[in-house]
Amino acid sequence: MIGKTIPFDAASIRNDFPILKEEVRGKRLVYLDSAGSAQKPKQVIDAVKHVYEAEYSNVHRGLHYMSEQTSARYEEARLKVARFINAEFEQEIIFTKGTTESINLVANSFGIKNLGPEDEIVLTWAEHHSNIIPWQLLRDQVGCKINVVPVDDDGVIRLEEFERLISKKTKIVAFCHVSNVLGTVLPVKEVTKIAHAHGAVVVIDGAQGVVHMPVDVQDLGVDFYAFGGHKVYGPSGIGVLYGKRDLLNVMPPYQGGGGMINTVTFDKTTWADLPDKFEAGTPPIAQAIGLGAAIDYMNNIGLNKIAEYEVDLLEYATQRLSGIEGLNFIGTAPGKVSVLSFTMDCAHPHDIATIIDQNGVAVRAGHHCAQPLMERFDIPSATRASFGLYNTREDVDILATSLEKVKEIFK
Ligand code: 7TS
């Protein structure tokens, strides 16, 4: 055993996740792809099942009992999200279908309204395509410029580089809280201060942030924070956009349809108040309620306790994998979270993933929707093991043994 042992009841946590009892090719499932999508505890599965079995109707439309019940549960979920990230007002929480849609909402609404050819957007080299392409689409429409903050060899993104690129021309600074490839945690609070001093708004892609650490949007000071349900042990098909109320209030709707209006005539339509203005159409109802259950689940364990456990596991995994000759880590920033990307001199990432899958080990291999970052590190792709609250040192040991086998096959 390497490192300190933290009291954390991993066995009982694993018991909450029915899928972890499944065998894969006759082997124990070693699920190391939580950064792709996390597995769901039975508390979340049961909450979703309960909606369809006992409390289902459309929301905010009917006057009947079921609609009132479902609407109340849906709004309770919004409150849980608001508390989870410490938003000042519940109306600052917009439900979307995922991180991707949340970022597209900001680009299409805030971006189209406020940016022109003289303006600039600042991104980083560590972004997922979800936080690159919406801004490129915006650039193509309004003619603004995109500047990109570099990443150093360890995967650190330096504050000085943000300072260098943010200017009075910058209208939006958009970057990930945590890189899905490098595991690097970006200095959100510090960058936000710099951006605000130049009059820019800050959009955080929190897809990989909220699951690894407590997030307080008021303390961070950010203007927008986007994340999805499926990486925080909740359902897929549900996402969140947090936005400061004053900004959301003056932004135009992103999509039009039912539920987002006050009055409609063929001449003029007026918008509903927040958050409805940004939730056109029937929303992902059961998914939102399931997200609320996932938040309850994480809160019951304790966000700090989860973070501490994952750091310990990351340290163990780093040490274990360091012992494998010819394995090169991509992303060694201090304070990183439990995402371990690597290449091996002996084999292509796709071969590695396919071979270790025979041992029941699920990792992701590819460009991780971060092609510019692959280019930066001069690799076509990488293998990534990502750890969640249900992973154990035994999982790490099986990963390490499986990687040793890869070396044997390719020697
Ligand atoms: N931003 C980051 C940093 C991500 O890691 C992902 C998904 C997204 C945005 C998009 O989230 P979505 O829920 O809208 O799809 N990342 C990954 C990944 O690393 N492997 O599979 C999906």
Side-chain angles (χ1 to χ4, degrees):
M1 299 271 273
I2 303 168
K4 61 185 190 301
T5 308
I6 289 164
F8 185 84
D9 194 354
S12 99
I13 286 172
R14 288 182 66 80
N15 215 22
D16 289 335
F17 289 79
I19 205 166
L20 297 180
K21 295 187 186 75
E22 292 291 314
E23 288 199 339
V24 171
R25 306 182 203 291
K27 305 268 169 46
R28 162 203 165 106
L29 168 62
V30 176
Y31 190 75
L32 300 177
D33 193 17
S34 297
S37 202
Q39 300 297 351
K40 321 301 172 200
K42 60 179 185 289
Q43 289 82 343
V44 168
I45 299 166
D46 289 348
V48 173
K49 193 163 169 261
H50 179 80
V51 174
Y52 290 124
E53 286 183 348
E55 281 188 326
Y56 183 73
S57 177
N58 211 329
V59 290
H60 306 324
R61 282 157 172 82
L63 291 175
H64 55 80
Y65 175 85
M66 277 300 169
S67 182
E68 280 172 6
Q69 287 298 107
T70 317
S71 303
R73 296 291 93 77
Y74 180 73
E75 291 307 322
E76 264 169 38
R78 195 188 308 279
L79 184 59
K80 285 177 189 178
V81 173
R83 289 191 179 139
F84 184 55
I85 58 170
N86 196 31
E88 192 176 356
F89 308 104
E90 269 171 80
Q91 307 99 294
E92 295 180 318
I93 304 301
I94 313 295
F95 283 131
T96 63
K97 74 176 163 70
T99 309
T100 304
E101 191 182 30
S102 296
I103 297 171
N104 276 279
L105 191 165
V106 181
N108 281 283
S109 173
F110 180 89
I112 298 276
K113 185 174 179 205
N114 293 295
L115 273 78
E118 301 303 314
D119 298 321
E120 295 183 359
I121 297 172
V122 171
L123 309 177
T124 83
W125 273 85
E127 300 313 312
H128 186 280
H129 296 166
S130 293
N131 201 29
I132 300 175
I133 298 157
W135 307 114
Q136 289 177 329
L137 293 171
L138 174 64
R139 176 192 62 192
D140 295 347
Q141 284 192 67
V142 304
C144 64
K145 187 178 163 204
I146 293 177
N147 295 313
V148 189
V149 174
V151 176
D152 78 8
D153 290 344
D154 288 322
V156 175
I157 296 143
R158 301 195 180 283
L159 205 55
E160 308 88 81
E161 299 287 353
F162 277 101
E163 268 170 335
R164 194 169 59 80
L165 288 171
I166 297 173
S167 73
K168 287 279 171 240
K169 288 184 173 177
T170 312
K171 288 284 175 308
I172 294 174
V173 181
F175 59 101
C176 54
H177 195 169
V178 170
S179 157
N180 67 320
V181 176
L182 307 166
T184 307
V185 182
L186 277 76
V188 173
K189 196 170 173 175
E190 294 78 3
V191 176
T192 301
K193 279 191 190 137
I194 299 168
H196 285 171
H198 289 86
V201 300
V202 175
V203 183
I204 299 300
D205 170 354
Q208 305 285 351
V210 273
V211 66
H212 293 297
M213 66 192 82
V215 168
D216 180 336
V217 287
Q218 291 187 72
D219 180 55
L220 293 174
V222 298
D223 301 288
F224 299 99
Y225 193 99
F227 69 97
H230 70 105
K231 294 193 210 287
V232 293
Y233 311 104
S236 54
I238 179 74
V240 170
L241 175 68
Y242 157 81
K244 278 188 184 154
R245 189 172 66 171
D246 291 349
L247 284 170
L248 291 173
N249 264 331
V250 294
M251 280 161 55
Y254 162 54
Q255 292 175 334
M260 50 75 74
I261 55 89
N262 197 2
T263 58
V264 180
T265 69
F266 279 107
D267 291 330
K268 186 174 164 57
T269 293
T270 56
W271 317 132
D273 291 335
L274 293 176
D276 298 3
K277 181 171 81 171
F278 291 108
E279 292 184 5
T282 300
I285 302 166
Q287 292 87 332
I289 295 167
L291 172 59
I295 288 173
D296 287 343
Y297 183 78
M298 289 180 75
N299 281 336
N300 284 341
I301 297 171
L303 300 177
N304 283 314
K305 222 166 133 189
I306 296 170
E308 214 183 322
Y309 178 74
E310 288 178 351
V311 166
D312 181 69
L313 203 56
L314 174 71
E315 274 172 25
Y316 180 70
T318 307
Q319 290 188 40
R320 240 0 215 98
L321 267 56
S322 299
I324 301 174
E325 217 191 301
L327 185 147
N328 321 296
F329 291 118
I330 311 292
T332 47
K336 66 175 281 186
V337 303
S338 54
V339 169
L340 261 191
S341 293
F342 57 89
T343 57
M344 287 174 84
D345 294 343
C346 64
H348 188 278
H350 288 169
D351 292 330
I352 298 169
T354 309
I355 292 166
I356 68 177
D357 176 57
Q358 299 302 312
N359 248 7
V361 182
V363 292
R364 181 156 178 210
H367 54 62
H368 308 282
C369 300
Q371 284 187 6
L373 196 59
M374 297 294 112
E375 192 192 327
R376 158 67 184 83
F377 282 91
D378 204 17
I379 47 174
S381 58
T383 309
R384 179 187 69 190
S386 52
F387 303 89
L389 53 78
Y390 37 63
N391 290 119
T392 59
R393 289 180 175 213
E394 192 185 347
D395 290 337
V396 174
D397 292 338
I398 298 172
L399 169 69
T401 320
S402 307
L403 294 173
E404 291 289 4
K405 268 197 202 139
V406 172
K407 269 191 69 181
E408 268 170 39
I409 291 171
F410 284 93
K411 84 172 174 235

